[in-house]
Amino acid sequence: MLEATDTVHSVLLLEDDRHFQAVVREILEGSGVETEVVSCIKEAKQSFTEKHYDMLMVDGLLPDGTGIDFIRWVRVSRPEIPIIYVSSFFRDATTYQTLKYELQVDKVLPKQITSDLLAEEIAEVFIKHDLSNVTLIGGKSGRPDEGNEAFERALQEKLDDFEAALQQRIDEVRRSIEAAHHNSNNEIVLLEAIRIVHSLVGTAGSFGHDEISSSLAMVERVLRTAVENPSNLLTEHWDLIVLAVDQLTRIHTLENPDSAQQQDASATLPDEEHPSSS
Amino acid sequence: MKIEHILIVEDDDEQRDLYALSVQKIGGWSVDLAATGVQALAMLEVRRPDVIVLDVNIPEMTGPEIFSKMRALPATDDVPIIFITALTGDKELADPKVLEPAGIIQKPIELRDFPTQLRRITEAI
């Protein structure tokens, strides 16, 4: 997060997504940075003409044009103003190069970024342009052990979010595998199941849910054999996969007894569906 | 070799975010994040990282394909590239291994040790 500073700076945010507006507002205003939010280029040009800003944050696609159009217009009068461009992931190299080379944008960030990382990226730009004494908590300017403290705090928040949603993620795995089983000749459905499983293998492992991660890794390996040839997956393989997914719920319940109540409330307990798996 | 800036190429939003958290907060390094090979190659033309962390299993342009394209860029032909992968078998790892990356780190990544692992690999070069 940004640290509060005695100096008041102002940021103009050009963004039509209300959720993202709120995320940025919370970061900036929580750190004492004045934040003006506009939703279209017309309003942005008006605000920019009437008031001095220390930094701009610009969305990629707006109702009346693109963020690049606006930045190009800004650069005529303020070639030095720091700019952060935030958009859904672009897929072409030209856009990135235009932003970085031609328009000298400081940061090109994905919208999928967490508020924690976004705050760090903003703080880096503030420091780079000497806008304030804002420091990256746990970052390069902090004490050596601050980094670990900040990391542990941030990781714990993410872990809490992950565990709160873990049963839903397991259910999503189950649904995708059922769909792949019923459409075993459909490579798109199969690849989607692999993508969902693969994502949870890595994330669960990084969060210390080793048993869930290793069970899913086995499921992923078996599913991948079907990409080359669907007939590689025999009935017993599917039974093995279903059994492994059933075990995920059991492991999750053992690791997190609080989730047992939710399980009791469920109308479709895995054990009832597959009694042989116990 | 001192690491100050790192490029991470990982298509999974959640995992990419976790790796970034680790290298920024624990490593104290700045980071560029890419979800695809196209993005990664565009970023390399703007800023040369000290290390590249590249997921093997990326759709469209795969990790090994991205690796070859990175090596063909004069600006980054000698930047250490470290693969990260959930793959384990010799057959599955044959493609990435033949490219002779600086290292291969097995997923799941232990986030607290990730910067140390990267540092060890680059120091061994």
Side-chain angles (χ1 to χ4, degrees):
Chain A
M1 61 179 286
L2 294 164
E3 276 187 347
T5 152
D6 295 337
T7 315
V8 176
H9 293 295
S10 60
V11 170
L12 177 64
L13 170 65
L14 171 53
E15 169 63 72
D16 61 338
D17 176 340
R18 287 191 178 181
H19 171 72
F20 201 73
Q21 285 176 358
V23 170
V24 176
R25 251 188 207 284
E26 192 179 331
I27 293 170
L28 292 174
E29 292 183 349
S31 306
V33 178
E34 280 183 5
T35 311
E36 182 163 345
V37 181
V38 288
S39 304
C40 66
I41 293 174
K42 188 181 170 190
E43 287 173 6
K45 284 183 175 176
Q46 189 175 343
S47 298
F48 190 82
T49 307
E50 291 171 355
K51 195 176 164 190
H52 178 88
Y53 296 97
D54 298 301
M55 189 178 86
L56 304 180
M57 290 185 69
V58 180
D59 182 21
L61 194 60
L62 296 145
D64 53 349
T66 67
I68 287 181
D69 295 337
F70 176 66
I71 295 169
R72 206 168 260 137
W73 177 85
V74 165
R75 282 292 182 232
V76 174
S77 59
R78 296 280 306 274
E80 84 301 344
I81 188 171
I83 299 176
I84 295 177
Y85 178 91
V86 189
S87 188
S88 301
F89 266 129
F90 59 89
R91 294 213 169 259
D92 64 302
T94 311
T95 305
Y96 185 80
Q97 283 164 349
T98 299
L99 288 160
K100 294 291 279 189
Y101 283 135
E102 182 196 331
L103 299 172
Q104 296 288 306
V105 165
D106 291 86
K107 295 270 182 187
V108 179
L109 301 175
K111 255 194 193 163
Q112 297 90 332
I113 196 167
T114 62
S115 60
D116 191 48
L117 276 181
L118 180 60
E120 293 225 347
E121 299 285 3
I122 294 170
E124 266 192 36
V125 175
F126 269 64
I127 291 166
K128 179 183 164 193
H129 290 271
D130 219 11
L131 284 171
S132 69
N133 60 351
V134 171
T135 57
L136 288 174
I137 292 183
K140 283 170 278 191
S141 55
R143 298 194 319 271
D145 60 342
E146 279 184 338
N148 289 345
E149 288 169 15
F151 171 79
E152 293 299 340
R153 275 199 308 273
L155 186 64
Q156 188 59 50
E157 281 178 25
K158 289 178 191 300
L159 178 60
D160 291 345
D161 291 345
F162 174 78
E163 289 183 340
L166 183 52
Q167 188 55 51
Q168 284 174 288
R169 299 276 295 267
I170 292 170
D171 293 341
E172 185 188 20
V173 165
R174 181 193 302 282
R175 284 194 299 274
S176 71
I177 285 171
E178 283 170 357
H181 189 185
H182 295 133
N183 302 276
S184 55
N185 287 315
N186 186 332
E187 190 176 274
I188 293 172
V189 177
L190 183 61
L191 289 174
E192 177 62 4
I194 291 172
R195 185 191 67 76
I196 290 168
V197 171
H198 179 73
S199 175
L200 197 49
V201 170
T203 314
S206 288
F207 279 128
H209 288 269
D210 297 338
E211 280 193 73
I212 290 177
S213 178
S214 56
S215 294
L216 282 167
M218 184 277 291
V219 170
E220 182 181 348
R221 277 196 295 278
V222 176
L223 286 175
R224 283 191 186 280
T225 64
V227 176
E228 291 171 17
N229 184 357
S231 63
N232 283 347
L233 280 194
L234 306 173
T235 304
E236 54 261 41
H237 293 133
W238 285 111
D239 290 345
L240 186 65
I241 289 172
V242 169
L243 178 63
V245 175
D246 286 350
Q247 291 291 352
L248 297 180
T249 297
R250 201 184 322 282
I251 294 165
H252 176 46
T253 307
L254 286 172
E255 286 178 343
N256 180 14
D258 293 344
S259 69
Q261 284 184 327
Q262 295 168 7
Q263 291 303 307
D264 290 342
S266 168
T268 55
L269 275 172
D271 284 354
E272 290 168 357
E273 288 176 8
H274 305 285
S276 62
S277 65
S278 55
Chain B
M1 189 193 87
K2 193 166 186 242
I3 302 174
E4 291 184 347
H5 182 67
I6 179 169
L7 169 65
I8 295 176
V9 192
E10 163 67 65
D11 63 309
D12 185 274
D13 294 346
E14 200 172 23
Q15 289 179 59
R16 191 175 59 241
D17 192 33
L18 288 172
Y19 304 156
L21 182 72
S22 170
V23 300
Q24 282 185 317
K25 302 257 188 190
I26 297 180
W29 309 326
S30 64
V31 60
D32 275 336
L33 301 172
T36 68
V38 172
Q39 283 174 10
L41 294 166
M43 287 172 173
L44 286 181
E45 291 198 19
V46 176
R47 184 169 180 187
R48 177 192 155 100
D50 301 309
V51 180
I52 297 167
V53 172
L54 176 58
D55 185 24
V56 171
N57 197 354
I58 295 180
E60 296 174 23
M61 203 191 297
T62 66
E65 287 166 350
I66 297 168
F67 184 106
S68 300
K69 287 185 186 291
M70 286 173 169
R71 280 286 171 260
L73 291 175
T76 56
D77 60 357
D78 59 347
V79 173
I81 302 177
I82 297 168
F83 276 125
I84 48 174
T85 181
L87 303 176
T88 52
D90 286 344
K91 188 184 163 196
E92 293 170 313
L93 286 172
D95 281 354
K97 273 185 175 168
V98 81
L99 294 167
E100 298 184 358
I104 298 179
I105 297 178
Q106 204 71 44
K107 289 187 185 181
I109 302 289
E110 169 46 62
L111 298 170
R112 290 176 185 84
D113 291 340
F114 190 37
T116 306
Q117 282 183 296
L118 298 177
R119 215 178 271 126
R120 276 194 195 129
I121 290 171
T122 53
E123 282 169 0
I125 296 170

